[in-house]
Amino acid sequence: MKCSVVKDLLTAYVDSELSDESQAQIDTHLEECDSCRKEMQAQMGVHRLLSEKLERVKADPELKQQIIKKTVGQSKAKQFWFVRKLQFELRPVTGFAIAALLVITFLTKDMILDRQSIIPVNPTGISTQIPVVSDGMEASITGKLVCVGCYLKNKYGAHHDCKLHGHKLGLVTSDGNIWSFTDTKLADLVCGDMEMEGKTIKLDGNVFYTAHFIDIKNYTVMEGNE
Amino acid sequence: MWESSEEKKEAFKVEALAHIDTLYNAALKFTYNRDDASDLVQETYFKAYKFFGNFEPGTSCKAWLFKILKNTFINKYRRKVRQPEQVDFDAVEPYVDLIRDKTLDPGESLDEDIFKSHMSDDVKTALARLPEEFRMVLVLSDIEGFSYKEISDIMDCPIGTVRSRLSRGRKLMYKYLLKYAKAEGY
Ligand SMILES: [Zn+2]
Ligand SMILES: [Zn+2]
């Protein structure tokens, strides 16, 4: 083997990234060639210093706690609003049950749900207000699109980092209730486009009252505030 | 995929959370700033958790996390990081040839004591001086022990590029260390 060829292969030789055959050929060359051997030793020396001499720095316990808390330690309550997709997609029944429970847990006196705000779509074309809507029923809801995270953060000081996770739009109705959307292409069109923020919109779809989710079937932009 | 969010959490704990120290150690060597390193690792884990569905069970979770770490670093932190010695990538090449000619002259004896006598502080300083492209592959290869194939996946570059950056990076390191050793009278 020529020195130039060997020198090109030395890095891979040091890292044992060559075939046994090439590795052996280079071994033979190194026994006879000072120049190549020195270059190999220089690379091997640096490799060993880095792998053996450098102290490994550990992460602070606070950093670890923070990471755990914000990933696997996330409470169901937070998941309900922001990352509950899995439950929703995989186990709708349990998902709803948990969500329903959470809604109840979340209720404060002035947040009591105003069921009057939901107007079911009536085949006759005449909208009638009814006091109770059962889950999955078709209805239309009018409200304003806001980033749910920012809204809860501004209003209640909720912990939510839109800079990191991105804004996600939801619908606020005049009674102060907030509606999220089941994950569909249509929902992405509505809530994935930040230019829609602040617009008043009418949504038709299946309404899941307990979970405050809408499966959007159709939407109409009523007006823009900007 | 996971049957439930609880299963996802369990898998994430076992596969991903075991590497926090490793990622932090590498992040420090990317950023040279404790706060930036912490932020970088946090953001890496938030993204990893969010996109954990993209992780293929059975493959190396450590390599997958490093890829996210590297992308996050390149996109967000690199611009604000102060380089100890910002060297233009192309400008380094003739420099490296110079090293080959001078420090590895067959006539000059290579003193193996250089490596034995070096304190970890010198190694740290030399590594910090390396241009980022070289430093990152050295961290991935020599410190973390990733294979060329894994590094090429993490860095999004061909294996040949991994090899040449490693070669140049190590030679530059050698040059710095030799200089420190001489300055310290070895
Ligand atoms: Zn030779
Ligand atoms: Zn937001």
Side-chain angles (χ1 to χ4, degrees):
Chain A
M1 251 180 175
K2 274 183 169 177
C3 285
S4 59
V5 177
V6 172
K7 282 184 170 146
D8 277 344
L9 295 174
L10 277 181
T11 305
Y13 172 86
V14 166
D15 292 314
S16 309
E17 290 262 355
L18 294 176
S19 67
D20 290 350
E21 200 194 342
S22 305
Q23 208 86 8
Q25 279 180 323
I26 289 176
D27 277 334
T28 313
H29 181 91
L30 292 179
E31 277 172 32
E32 300 155 357
C33 178
D34 266 4
S35 166
C36 288
R37 191 170 59 248
K38 277 171 193 159
E39 190 160 330
M40 186 279 286
Q41 285 168 339
Q43 285 217 40
M44 186 65 94
V46 171
H47 168 74
R48 289 211 175 122
L49 281 180
L50 284 171
S51 57
E52 293 162 17
K53 280 240 176 165
L54 271 190
E55 169 206 15
R56 297 190 72 94
V57 186
K58 288 196 168 185
D60 287 339
E62 297 89 73
L63 174 63
K64 290 183 188 174
Q65 278 167 13
Q66 191 70 5
I67 289 170
I68 292 166
K69 199 175 112 192
K70 291 198 179 170
T71 54
V72 296
Q74 247 170 352
S75 70
K76 290 263 166 60
K78 201 177 170 194
Q79 283 188 8
F80 166 61
W81 292 110
F82 307 116
V83 269
R84 23 59 334 203
K85 288 179 195 168
L86 261 173
Q87 287 172 344
F88 218 75
E89 283 165 7
L90 298 175
R91 294 162 130 198
V93 177
T94 332
F96 283 129
I98 292 166
L101 261 174
L102 282 162
V103 167
I104 292 160
T105 322
F106 262 44
L107 288 182
T108 58
K109 268 180 211 158
D110 51 347
M111 279 174 78
I112 300 282
L113 305 172
D114 175 8
R115 298 185 174 213
Q116 303 291 327
S117 67
I118 299 167
I119 306 155
V121 174
N122 187 316
T124 59
I126 304 158
S127 294
T128 350
Q129 292 201 338
I130 58 157
V132 175
V133 176
S134 54
D135 275 341
M137 197 170 176
E138 239 181 67
S140 59
I141 298 179
T142 303
K144 195 172 146 186
L145 284 168
V146 297
C147 169
V148 180
C150 290
Y151 181 85
L152 294 178
K153 192 176 182 176
N154 295 339
K155 201 158 181 187
Y156 307 104
H159 296 106
H160 183 66
D161 196 347
C162 279
K163 268 188 215 147
L164 202 55
H165 302 277
H167 299 284
K168 196 162 185 190
L169 298 179
L171 195 76
V172 178
T173 43
S174 55
D175 53 17
N177 280 309
I178 304 167
W179 297 83
S180 301
F181 318 117
T182 57
D183 289 312
T184 59
K185 268 193 184 161
L186 201 54
D188 282 347
L189 272 180
V190 177
C191 71
D193 180 0
M194 283 312 293
E195 288 189 9
M196 295 286 277
E197 191 180 18
K199 292 198 170 149
T200 300
I201 196 170
K202 183 164 90 77
L203 296 175
D204 306 313
N206 297 85
V207 175
F208 300 92
Y209 197 84
T210 39
H212 269 209
F213 269 82
I214 310 164
D215 181 357
I216 307 171
K217 288 276 170 331
N218 191 26
Y219 71 92
T220 323
V221 180
M222 311 295 280
E223 52 166 298
N225 284 14
E226 281 164 291
Chain B
M1 209 39 64
W2 301 281
E3 289 289 318
S4 67
S5 67
E6 285 310 308
E7 261 187 52
K8 177 192 169 189
K9 281 183 181 182
E10 272 315 303
F12 193 78
K13 276 184 203 165
V14 175
E15 294 269 16
L17 290 180
H19 301 293
I20 297 180
D21 281 331
T22 310
L23 260 75
Y24 181 74
N25 185 54
L28 254 189
K29 287 170 180 63
F30 288 179
T31 62
Y32 284 98
N33 176 305
R34 283 180 173 273
D35 289 342
D36 282 347
S38 291
D39 287 351
L40 179 55
V41 172
Q42 273 202 47
E43 190 164 345
T44 300
Y45 270 99
F46 297 159
K47 283 182 188 161
Y49 191 62
K50 200 169 169 187
F51 298 109
F52 197 46
N54 295 350
F55 168 67
E56 285 174 45
T59 63
S60 164
C61 192
K62 184 180 154 187
W64 184 71
L65 288 168
F66 264 87
K67 182 157 185 152
I68 302 175
L69 182 83
K70 168 250 165 189
N71 286 337
T72 310
F73 171 66
I74 299 275
N75 293 333
K76 197 164 174 184
Y77 292 87
R78 184 157 71 176
R79 255 165 251 127
K80 70 182 249 212
V81 173
R82 195 167 36 85
Q83 290 285 319
E85 191 173 284
Q86 187 74 56
V87 185
D88 180 48
F89 191 72
D90 292 325
V92 174
E93 306 225 16
Y95 212 14
V96 174
D97 288 338
L98 204 80
I99 305 163
R100 175 173 284 188
D101 293 344
K102 287 214 169 157
T103 61
L104 297 177
D105 187 299
E108 190 185 357
S109 76
L110 181 128
D111 190 352
E112 280 196 67
D113 286 345
I114 287 171
F115 294 122
K116 289 185 189 132
S117 61
H118 262 294
M119 309 307 285
S120 64
D121 269 0
D122 284 344
V123 183
K124 250 165 64 184
T125 314
L127 185 65
R129 278 186 71 187
L130 281 190
E132 187 182 282
E133 284 87 351
F134 298 163
R135 193 173 64 238
M136 288 173 92
V137 291
L138 256 67
V139 168
L140 294 173
S141 169
D142 293 337
I143 299 178
E144 293 309 330
F146 285 117
S147 70
Y148 287 4
K149 174 72 180 66
E150 286 171 320
I151 298 173
S152 113
D153 286 344
I154 293 169
M155 298 298 295
D156 287 311
C157 70
I159 286 180
T161 309
V162 172
R163 195 171 46 229
S164 76
R165 286 185 191 176
L166 267 176
S167 166
R168 291 172 188 162
R170 285 182 188 148
K171 283 171 187 166
L172 262 181
M173 279 287 288
Y174 181 77
K175 175 183 164 273
Y176 296 152
L177 291 170
L178 197 70
K179 208 170 102 187
Y180 300 157
K182 280 182 179 159
E184 285 155 26
Y186 289 114

